[in-house]
Amino acid sequence: GRQGPTVLMINDLWYKNAVIYCLSVATYMDANGDGVGDFAGLMRRLDYLSGLGVTAIWLMPFQASPCRDDGYDVSNYYEVDARYGTLGDFVEFTHAAKQRGIRVIIDLVANHTSDQHPWFMEARRNPKSMYRDWYVWSKKKPRGSNKGMAFPGVQKSTWSYDSVARAWYFHRFYDFQPDLNTSNPHVQAEILKIMGFWIQLGVSGFRMDAVPFVIATKGPQVRNPVEQYDMLRMMREFLQWRQGDAIILAEANVLPDTDMEYFGREGDRMHMMFNFQVNQNLFYALAASDARPLQKALKATKPRPKTAQWGMFLRNHDELDLGRLTKQQRKTVFKAFGPEPAMQLYDRGIRRRLAPMLENDRRRIELAYSLMFTLPGTAVLRYGDELGMGDNLALPERQCARTPMQWSTEPNAGFTKSKKPISPVISVGPCGYEHVNAAQQRRDPNSMLNWTERIIRMRKEVPEVGWGDFEILTTRDVSVLAIRYDWRNNSVLFVHNLASTPREVSLSVGIAGESSRLLVNLLSEDHSQAKAGGKHRFMLEAYGYRWFRVGGLDYLLKRSDIETESADRVTPRRQRSRRGPVAR
Ligand code: NOJ
């Protein structure tokens, strides 16, 4: 065997290879028939989720709220909104999830509250109240109040006048979402208290909303906000002390050169971040059949501490933001996936669901999902995408892609017994619930649902993706993306054809030794044997994808439970392979 010290590494960071499923309680399952989804309904669907293979659920905001931004306007952080149930129902739910080995993470909306929150009401009413300084005020209309809107188009300014307070208040988002003065130590303490509260009720962490704005300096004088990264360390430290395996998944759509600031160079800030850079370039890659910008994005977001992880996603509950692409690239994506004005959200992005964007073409949907599951990180799915659910463009803004889950062919897709669902169920077109629903797909072995279940099962058998180091292989074909992962002397290889035409792929696996002569196809029987020169050559059908294990033995047999070197490879690949094949 290999020489060297045996180092037992932390090898149970659950989020490194989780399958996260995001849902909104309001639109998932209504148990009491009032038209609004609830925790009791969600609980009845836990076996469905467990069968699908998800290992963590991310709940969108469900706390008390006037719901003018789908719950991202909280009026009481310590209450479940009565429409969804009680705190008791919530605890029953987290407990039931835990019994099935499913973790729960919840949205933490700490940048702003609802304008109906008692803190804000008190702050506006009484300038002497301690809550006054929990928000961000200005006596005069600040300069630049028409800049920096998070929702340009729907939102006209970031400062609004409040006649009760007789002052202007700051709001990065809608005017009913006043920003908290997050630099105020009392506000910070309250945020920690909120985290501590939900941790105590059984959650495994938080999807933290709008992180760059949470940590930004705010005020009428602030022209260029500065990020106070230390706040992130403080939150992490608190959380880790309260519960060692709890995580924060940050929503931070930032440039790659600040990623490390968010993760923390010592891995002491955010555990996870959504990879927006890869997300946008992935859609460009799909639109243009060109893998190059995606490869660039993967390289740019490669550096991260070894305990950190990327959240990989396709679509979420917001629009597909294209702000990181060049003008030309953006044009290409709009043309391919959102050509009509109704599909767009101003110039910000595309507001559609995945399946209709890809013209309900199963080949393209599988390709997109195969990519999501095999790019470096942890997959975050959106409810309904496992069925290929669609959107309703007649609904305003982002509502179009937030319609109720389609369970069956019963009225209102089996989501509710009420005749008045909280949001209309999609009932017309190819994505209507009579064609797209869980009950039918469960019985059809070739359904999208069963495909998703199988791909999740296989994803769990390639832990290299979550833990390993990756290398992008050269294929000389801009439409073909080939990535190899190495971890604990094991390697897996994923090849994707972004083009609408078949491609012959020729590649070297890039590792020396016998093992790279055989590529075992994990999804079907066409394995690949290297040609005389050591290269592999095989055909990929239009939009085709392959998952290979290098060398072929089942990873369970080859895998060692103890790491013989640091989880992040210290020795560069090439140097290692010159020493010849690695003993197992
Ligand atoms: C980001 C959330 O994803 C979005 O839905 C919400 O409107 C804003 N943050 C404001 O909380």
Side-chain angles (χ1 to χ4, degrees):
R2 286 184 64 194
Q3 301 301 307
T6 297
V7 190
L8 182 62
M9 298 292 299
I10 303 174
N11 60 6
D12 56 353
L13 300 178
W14 63 269
Y15 55 93
K16 279 284 197 176
N17 271 309
V19 178
I20 303 177
Y21 184 98
C22 148
L23 67 89
S24 152
V25 179
T27 52
Y28 205 61
M29 181 65 205
D30 171 22
N32 66 1
D34 65 354
V36 184
D38 41 44
F39 278 105
L42 173 54
M43 249 173 87
R44 293 190 197 163
R45 291 296 177 255
L46 276 172
D47 291 318
Y48 167 83
L49 292 171
S50 156
L52 184 58
V54 313
T55 63
I57 296 171
W58 152 29
L59 293 182
M60 331 233 49
F62 54 82
Q63 289 85 356
S65 162
C67 271
R68 293 179 68 192
D69 181 16
D70 252 314
Y72 285 96
D73 47 333
V74 178
S75 56
N76 186 348
Y77 289 90
Y78 302 104
E79 267 300 347
V80 167
D81 194 291
R83 293 174 306 166
Y84 313 140
T86 62
L87 279 175
D89 295 328
F90 179 80
V91 170
E92 283 303 293
F93 157 71
T94 52
H95 175 73
K98 193 172 173 189
Q99 279 190 306
R100 291 164 177 82
I102 300 177
R103 291 175 182 270
V104 177
I105 65 174
I106 66 172
D107 242 290
L108 176 64
V109 189
N111 179 65
H112 44 265
T113 68
S114 157
D115 60 357
Q116 301 305 304
H117 197 294
W119 303 335
F120 188 66
M121 310 249 266
E122 182 62 15
R124 0 176 2 207
R125 203 182 55 82
N126 178 3
K128 299 234 155 51
S129 143
M130 69 173 275
Y131 293 114
R132 186 74 163 201
D133 193 44
W134 282 38
Y135 294 88
V136 187
W137 301 97
S138 174
K139 284 223 171 65
K140 287 200 236 105
K141 181 177 183 174
R143 283 203 297 150
S145 62
N146 55 351
K147 292 207 176 71
M149 282 84 74
F151 301 137
V154 252
Q155 182 193 356
K156 288 194 180 54
S157 75
T158 49
W159 288 89
S160 289
Y161 185 71
D162 183 65
S163 53
V164 178
R166 296 184 181 203
W168 296 75
Y169 66 94
F170 177 66
H171 53 90
R172 175 65 68 185
F173 296 90
Y174 291 115
D175 59 2
F176 54 81
Q177 291 166 316
D179 265 51
L180 281 165
N181 176 11
T182 42
S183 301
N184 179 331
H186 295 286
V187 172
Q188 294 180 359
E190 189 72 29
I191 295 173
L192 299 185
K193 201 200 261 186
I194 294 165
M195 292 170 72
F197 178 80
W198 292 104
I199 281 293
Q200 203 72 13
L201 295 189
V203 307
S204 290
F206 303 91
R207 176 265 189 195
M208 197 152 94
D209 189 56
V211 177
F213 302 127
V214 173
I215 63 173
T217 48
K218 310 176 187 189
Q221 314 303 344
V222 176
R223 290 276 165 278
N224 301 305
V226 179
E227 290 86 355
Q228 306 161 92
Y229 293 112
D230 211 41
M231 281 176 63
L232 301 179
R233 193 194 50 79
M234 173 190 72
M235 291 178 193
R236 164 101 177 229
E237 203 170 65
F238 172 86
L239 188 61
Q240 227 75 99
W241 168 243
R242 288 288 174 97
Q243 186 175 300
D245 62 354
I247 64 152
I248 305 178
L249 162 55
E251 187 218 10
N253 187 348
V254 294
L255 287 171
D257 57 5
T258 50
D259 288 345
M260 276 307 236
E261 301 288 357
Y262 283 84
F263 284 134
R265 273 166 218 290
E266 309 296 322
D268 55 352
R269 293 173 188 166
M270 303 287 95
H271 303 75
M272 289 187 75
M273 289 218 277
F274 288 111
N275 198 329
F276 283 96
Q277 193 73 19
V278 163
N279 176 265
Q280 302 188 13
N281 283 284
L282 172 55
F283 277 96
Y284 174 77
L286 293 171
S289 305
D290 178 357
R292 287 169 300 179
L294 175 58
Q295 294 174 344
K296 216 170 131 195
L298 290 169
K299 285 179 188 153
T301 56
K302 193 170 185 178
R304 60 183 142 102
K306 60 173 175 263
T307 55
Q309 185 60 304
W310 284 116
M312 287 294 173
F313 64 105
L314 290 169
R315 292 289 293 109
N316 59 23
H317 62 294
D318 291 327
E319 75 280 11
L320 167 61
D321 186 335
L322 300 171
R324 298 270 173 251
L325 301 180
T326 65
K327 219 170 155 201
Q328 201 51 45
Q329 291 173 330
R330 204 158 32 239
K331 242 176 108 181
T332 306
V333 180
F334 271 125
K335 194 164 163 238
F337 299 139
E340 288 162 33
M343 301 166 174
Q344 306 168 0
L345 204 54
Y346 308 94
D347 54 359
R348 262 155 59 192
I350 299 174
R351 62 186 194 121
R352 307 173 78 191
R353 274 244 191 199
L354 184 77
M357 279 172 77
L358 301 177
E359 292 164 331
N360 301 309
D361 182 336
R362 193 52 193 275
R363 299 169 306 166
R364 297 170 75 190
I365 296 172
E366 284 184 22
L367 172 75
Y369 267 103
S370 173
L371 279 163
M372 181 188 76
F373 277 113
T374 60
L375 291 178
T378 287
V380 184
L381 290 90
R382 176 153 163 72
Y383 81 92
D385 280 0
E386 76 273 28
L387 308 175
M389 262 174 62
D391 45 48
N392 175 358
L393 296 178
L395 297 174
E397 239 218 293
R398 293 164 291 165
Q399 296 304 325
C400 60
R402 300 177 177 184
T403 60
M405 177 71 175
Q406 295 171 195
W407 292 109
S408 69
T409 53
E410 290 166 281
N412 280 315
F415 157 71
T416 180
K417 291 259 182 285
S418 158
K419 290 202 170 59
K420 285 206 174 89
I422 175 171
S423 152
V425 172
I426 295 180
S427 57
V428 293
C431 295
Y433 70 85
E434 273 155 28
H435 309 291
V436 175
N437 64 73
Q440 283 178 341
Q441 292 200 19
R442 192 186 284 118
R443 292 189 286 265
D444 172 4
N446 295 318
S447 67
M448 185 66 209
L449 176 63
N450 281 315
W451 180 86
T452 310
E453 184 190 326
R454 289 192 296 272
I455 211 77
I456 288 176
R457 182 171 66 222
M458 196 45 78
R459 173 61 182 78
K460 288 176 176 168
E461 294 189 20
V462 287
E464 287 85 354
V465 177
W467 286 102
D469 206 1
F470 73 88
E471 195 170 313
I472 297 169
L473 307 183
T474 0
T475 61
R476 295 228 181 90
D477 184 337
V478 298
S479 298
V480 176
L481 178 68
I483 305 185
R484 192 195 70 237
Y485 290 84
D486 307 310
W487 183 59
R488 297 189 170 176
N489 306 327
N490 276 273
S491 298
V492 285
L493 171 63
F494 303 98
V495 192
H496 290 89
N497 176 15
L498 304 169
S500 58
T501 50
R503 294 298 155 116
E504 173 164 271
V505 182
S506 164
L507 54 81
S508 329
V509 175
I511 14 181
E514 273 306 296
S515 69
S516 66
R517 300 196 61 81
L518 176 63
L519 298 178
V520 169
N521 190 324
L522 295 173
L523 305 172
S524 66
E525 293 297 341
D526 51 334
H527 314 302
S528 172
Q529 197 73 51
K531 302 284 178 265
K535 278 200 160 191
H536 286 268
R537 200 166 305 142
F538 49 87
M539 286 299 289
L540 270 186
E541 60 279 18
Y543 305 119
Y545 55 92
R546 294 286 184 279
W547 293 26
F548 291 120
R549 182 161 287 283
V550 181
L553 280 177
D554 186 288
Y555 88 101
L556 290 169
L557 301 176
K558 293 205 303 176
R559 179 175 166 197
S560 77
D561 277 334
I562 290 179
E563 189 62 286
T564 48
E565 60 184 307
S566 152
D568 279 0
R569 281 178 192 279
V570 194
T571 332
R573 191 81 221 170
R574 246 170 232 112
Q575 225 173 305
R576 255 173 27 84
S577 22
R578 247 187 266 131
R579 279 192 257 129
V582 172
R584 298 208 159 78

